[in-house]
Amino acid sequence: MEVHAQKEPGWSITAIANHLGRDRKTIRSYLTGERTPGVRARSTPDPLESFVPYLTQRLQRHGAQPERPFD
């Protein structure tokens, strides 16, 4: 990432942030490894997460073909 390339020649965090148009706290978190550029954390939990075991079992048992309960 460009952030790491600019830090090595001695750029300050503020200079990198100004050059890239990002907040200096964001640049600092990239450099410390707290965050990865281009990867966003979910702001809310995945609503389907609690159903994963059930859905996995259904797909393994019946394949990817959906059932038609009203036929």
Side-chain angles (χ1 to χ4, degrees):
M1 170 91 197
E2 192 174 349
V3 172
H4 291 287
Q6 291 174 341
K7 185 59 179 166
E8 289 181 15
W11 286 44
S12 68
I13 291 175
T14 301
I16 296 169
N18 290 338
H19 179 73
L20 296 176
R22 301 281 186 242
D23 188 84
R24 61 185 170 73
K25 291 175 281 192
T26 301
I27 300 302
R28 183 178 290 117
S29 68
Y30 289 165
L31 291 172
T32 61
E34 291 177 33
R35 294 179 57 191
T36 304
V39 177
R40 291 185 179 225
R42 289 188 69 95
S43 59
T44 58
D46 186 354
L48 291 178
E49 188 64 36
S50 62
F51 296 101
V52 168
Y54 170 75
L55 294 172
T56 302
Q57 179 186 20
R58 291 290 300 239
L59 287 172
Q60 287 174 347
R61 186 181 310 152
H62 300 290
Q65 299 298 321
E67 290 184 19
R68 298 188 59 140
F70 301 111
D71 280 347

